[in-house]
Amino acid sequence: TNDFIDAIQTGSLAKFRKRYRQADVLLIDDIQFLGGKERSQEEFFHTFNTLFDGHKQIVLSSDRPPSEIANLENRLVSRFEWGLTAEMQPPDIETRTAILRKKAQNMQVKLAPEIIDFLAEKIRTNVRRLEGALMRVASYVSLNEGKTPTMERLETLLKDILQEEARKSVTIEQIQKRVAEHFDVRLADM
């Protein structure tokens, strides 16, 4: 979108179109931000068609399915639904642990297994947040000449992250239980 706006302002739409319509792979994150941007949607529609007709790869990510993106033209919704749609779930604890170990290794930081386990167990919803917590711990270790933080210090160091994680930990099972209680229905009957 920013490149498109710049191309309009500088009168270089031909150069813009050549760049994007001759790509072998188009990867766009947060496609939901096209919603409501009529000219950007129009341009993207033609770019999408050109790439699709040329059998090029198009990979789009969004925080919601195409049909739920507000103010997105129906013709784009239908094109987005042509391909494979995959829902990405937060990683399980084993994956989070593996991510932390690999990142710590890449950062050349040695952390006790209980610290890695603590981070993997407490930070469940977001890999960026997990990496941010690891960065804080690695910085602490670096600034304290390799000294590993105690669990109490670790909780203080990550207080805001841990509070945010605790706030968002609503599970499907919790929702089902509350609905069943509210409507006086057995969980098995739902």
Side-chain angles (χ1 to χ4, degrees):
T1 300
N2 292 337
D3 285 352
F4 178 60
I5 292 168
D6 289 343
I8 291 172
Q9 291 174 343
T10 60
S12 58
L13 272 175
K15 183 179 174 184
F16 169 86
R17 289 177 178 145
K18 182 178 179 182
R19 176 181 180 198
Y20 285 97
R21 294 182 187 179
Q22 291 183 356
D24 291 324
V25 177
L26 180 63
L27 175 62
I28 299 184
D29 189 21
D30 294 325
I31 196 73
Q32 72 271 10
F33 292 124
L34 267 184
K37 296 179 175 89
E38 291 179 26
R39 288 193 66 190
S40 293
Q41 287 185 50
E42 177 73 22
E43 189 65 32
F44 187 76
F45 173 78
H46 295 294
T47 299
F48 185 98
N49 286 341
T50 300
L51 293 172
F52 186 83
D53 291 344
H55 305 286
K56 305 299 181 180
Q57 293 293 310
I58 305 168
V59 180
L60 309 174
S61 78
S62 176
D63 62 359
R64 61 191 70 107
S67 61
E68 293 179 15
I69 298 175
N71 302 314
L72 187 65
E73 292 180 14
N74 288 334
R75 63 185 182 167
L76 283 176
V77 171
S78 70
R79 276 157 181 76
F80 293 173
E81 290 175 340
W82 279 350
L84 171 68
T85 301
E87 182 179 354
M88 304 297 289
Q89 294 294 325
D92 60 23
I93 192 161
E94 292 85 8
T95 305
R96 294 191 305 270
T97 301
I99 289 168
L100 288 166
R101 285 187 181 136
K102 184 68 173 171
K103 293 283 183 183
Q105 180 183 2
N106 290 345
M107 297 165 82
Q108 299 179 344
V109 164
K110 291 194 180 222
L111 295 176
E114 56 268 11
I115 290 180
I116 297 284
D117 293 343
F118 176 85
L119 294 173
E121 181 182 319
K122 298 292 184 183
I123 304 171
R124 300 175 299 274
T125 60
N126 186 313
V127 173
R128 288 186 197 114
R129 187 175 290 155
L130 188 66
E131 291 175 343
L134 178 63
M135 182 62 75
R136 284 190 197 180
V137 174
S139 297
Y140 176 90
V141 170
S142 175
L143 293 171
N144 288 283
E145 300 171 359
K147 183 180 174 187
T148 303
T150 64
M151 283 300 171
E152 294 81 28
R153 182 68 187 129
L154 187 61
E155 287 180 2
T156 302
L157 191 63
L158 303 173
K159 182 180 177 183
D160 59 325
I161 292 174
L162 297 175
Q163 286 175 345
E164 187 68 24
E165 281 291 316
R167 224 186 324 252
K168 291 186 176 182
S169 62
V170 176
T171 65
I172 292 172
E173 291 79 20
Q174 290 170 329
I175 294 169
Q176 289 173 333
K177 184 179 175 189
R178 290 271 174 94
V179 169
E181 288 171 358
H182 178 78
F183 290 103
D184 195 28
V185 176
R186 290 183 334 147
L187 194 58
D189 292 341
M190 285 180 36

